Amino acid sequence: MPSLADLGWNPQRSAALPSDAALGRVSRVDRGIASVLTPGGAVRVRIPNRLLATQDTDQIPTVGDWVLLHDEEIDRVLDRMSAVTRKVAGERTRAQVVAANVDVVFVVDDASAPPKGRRIERYLALAWECGALPVVLLNKADATPESDSAVEHAHAVALGVDVHAVSARTGEGLELLTKHLAPGHTVVLIGPSGVGKSSLVNAFRGEDCVYTQDVRSDGKGRHTTSYRELHRLPSGALLIDTPGLREVGLWANEEGLERAYADIVELETQCQFRDCAHRTEPGCAVAAAIGAGDLDPARFASWVKLQREVARVQDRRAGWERARAGAQLRARQRSYKVARDIQRQRRPR
Ligand SMILES: Nc1nc2c(ncn2[C@@H]2O[C@H](COP(=O)(O)OP(=O)(O)OP(=O)(O)O)[C@@H](O)[C@H]2O)c(=O)[nH]1
Ligand SMILES: [Mg+2]
Ligand SMILES: [Zn+2]
């Protein structure tokens, strides 16, 4: 039977919890039912409607979450240390937490396919935003003599990030990843469909237990994996497999939010004060609409919360972009220095 530490629990978190709290870690979510790993074994529990129906993504259980159990139900989701979050495709902008409480994000791509522009960069941005360490894996290195140039290309967009050419098929390069797969560490695999995320899970587990499938002859992935799942590896690490994301939406887009809440944006223009916080200000059109029953207060609350989230993401993104610019500058300076050294060597004495 696993201990909480085996499931990735950080004992520093226990402080605020009652000693008899029934804790578990979500390994998989199916409609309304969650699989939860506990020191007593794996259990399947209900997710109550109040958690399913909420707009508050912090409360909706997702794979990797630590939860308190009560009466064979999830009682609540504990605060996340990190969360890979994306925008859900569709007309309404919603956030989806892809995986929670991860230490490392493996951004997987295909070394044997021609590099696809900014694809890695978009997944990397997702990884950076979540507060975990990103590592780029270029899989299927066995299938190409060109894996070096794939690594070079990835390095150019993934400054300051480790890039590894690996093969789930032959095991090439996997031994270099063991430092990330330490006991109790949680790693999530993200990347397009068909690049071999599930095959990597099987390779790390040392057995074929996750279903994988050939990529279609037109090169398009098949979206073989249809749910996210947390696996315990023989190394003691926890590895989360995800389906290839169809659209890597970023939360930094305020426009989508404004479209989704156009009614509130319109109301705000009618407030007496331009910087109205919609609390106790006189002439507040938002408060009036809520009072008149024209605006659902819960909808307004979720708008406020999402705006705050966007602001947070934008902050983090700005930080990331600064770091990236710095790394680019240093890389350029290094290459000047190399060029200068070469010239010096060549200069006739
Ligand atoms: N040559 C080679 N083929 C691989 C390797 N890893 C995976 N594949 C093949 O690539 C195809 C897709 O692998 P999957 O593991 O299902 O890909 P996935 O990323 O999980 O795809 P989704 O679940 O759709 O997101 C399968 O046919 C695998 O056999 C590898 O290292 N080398
Ligand atoms: Mg898969
Ligand atoms: Zn107002």
Side-chain angles (χ1 to χ4, degrees):
M1 289 294 182
S3 69
L4 285 176
D6 292 336
L7 302 176
W9 180 253
N10 176 344
Q12 282 165 358
R13 303 181 58 150
S14 306
L17 288 173
S19 57
D20 59 345
L23 263 178
R25 190 154 194 211
V26 176
S27 64
R28 176 171 165 173
V29 176
D30 303 288
R31 303 187 170 279
I33 304 281
S35 306
V36 178
L37 305 177
T38 77
V43 291
R44 304 258 297 159
V45 295
R46 274 191 317 268
I47 305 173
N49 268 333
R50 70 185 155 81
L51 296 187
L52 287 173
T54 175
Q55 302 256 13
D56 182 357
T57 52
D58 290 347
Q59 289 186 47
I60 305 171
T62 195
V63 62
D65 265 327
W66 285 101
V67 291
L68 287 180
L69 302 176
H70 182 69
D71 274 351
E72 289 173 23
E73 272 191 2
I74 291 183
D75 189 36
R76 66 187 203 90
V77 174
L78 300 190
D79 284 352
R80 297 175 179 135
M81 311 284 273
S82 65
V84 179
T85 305
R86 68 163 180 142
K87 193 180 83 184
V88 177
E91 31 184 297
R92 278 194 56 205
T93 310
R94 277 194 305 123
Q96 184 194 41
V97 179
V98 176
N101 301 308
V102 299
D103 302 296
V104 177
V105 180
F106 282 170
V107 173
V108 187
D109 209 332
D110 185 343
S112 70
K116 289 207 180 62
R118 307 178 77 85
R119 184 158 93 171
I120 292 185
E121 218 174 340
R122 289 177 49 88
Y123 279 94
L124 266 177
L126 208 66
W128 277 124
E129 279 183 15
C130 86
L133 176 77
V135 177
V136 174
L137 307 188
L138 298 173
N139 189 37
K140 309 194 188 183
D142 61 283
T144 171
E146 309 273 312
S147 66
D148 285 351
S149 76
V151 169
E152 223 166 90
H153 176 268
H155 260 306
V157 297
L159 289 162
V161 174
D162 278 356
V163 179
H164 298 276
V166 301
S167 166
R169 186 156 292 176
T170 65
E172 170 188 346
L174 298 186
E175 72 286 346
L176 288 172
L177 304 175
T178 48
K179 66 167 181 266
H180 299 301
L181 298 168
H185 268 213
T186 305
V187 179
V188 64
L189 295 156
I190 63 173
S193 181
V195 296
K197 297 179 296 299
S198 300
S199 303
L200 285 165
V201 173
N202 288 334
F204 287 123
R205 284 190 65 146
E207 54 183 343
D208 279 357
C209 52
V210 184
Y211 185 61
T212 63
Q213 193 177 223
D214 284 352
V215 179
R216 288 200 311 239
S217 56
D218 61 7
K220 292 237 172 77
R222 272 169 166 262
H223 292 281
T224 303
T225 304
S226 55
Y227 50 86
R228 294 166 269 138
E229 187 161 18
L230 180 140
H231 301 268
R232 294 181 62 205
L233 299 185
S235 77
L238 301 133
L239 187 59
I240 299 175
D241 188 18
T242 68
L245 304 179
R246 263 160 233 261
E247 183 212 6
V248 190
L250 290 180
W251 249 134
N253 174 359
E254 201 160 5
E255 240 169 64
L257 203 60
E258 290 192 350
R259 260 204 305 278
Y261 290 88
D263 51 344
I264 302 180
V265 172
E266 166 63 22
L267 272 173
E268 282 181 314
T269 64
Q270 297 166 25
C271 292
Q272 189 180 327
F273 297 106
R274 232 169 51 123
D275 59 348
C276 183
H278 320 308
R279 287 201 199 96
T280 54
E281 290 84 346
C284 174
V286 172
I290 291 175
D294 292 338
L295 172 61
D296 179 358
R299 183 170 157 74
F300 178 63
S302 67
W303 154 252
V304 171
K305 183 165 192 305
L306 286 173
Q307 268 187 317
R308 231 181 282 138
E309 253 175 50
V310 165
R312 221 171 24 228
V313 167
Q314 282 174 338
D315 276 350
R316 251 186 264 155
R317 211 189 145 76
W320 173 63
E321 269 159 10
R322 269 196 305 277
R324 196 165 171 271
Q328 247 158 2
L329 183 67
R330 282 192 297 280
R332 249 200 320 271
Q333 285 167 341
R334 258 200 312 279
S335 63
Y336 287 146
K337 188 176 174 307
V338 171
R340 216 172 39 229
D341 289 349
I342 291 175
Q343 272 192 350
R344 272 204 201 112
Q345 278 168 7
R346 287 208 187 128
R347 203 176 289 152
R349 276 159 217 260

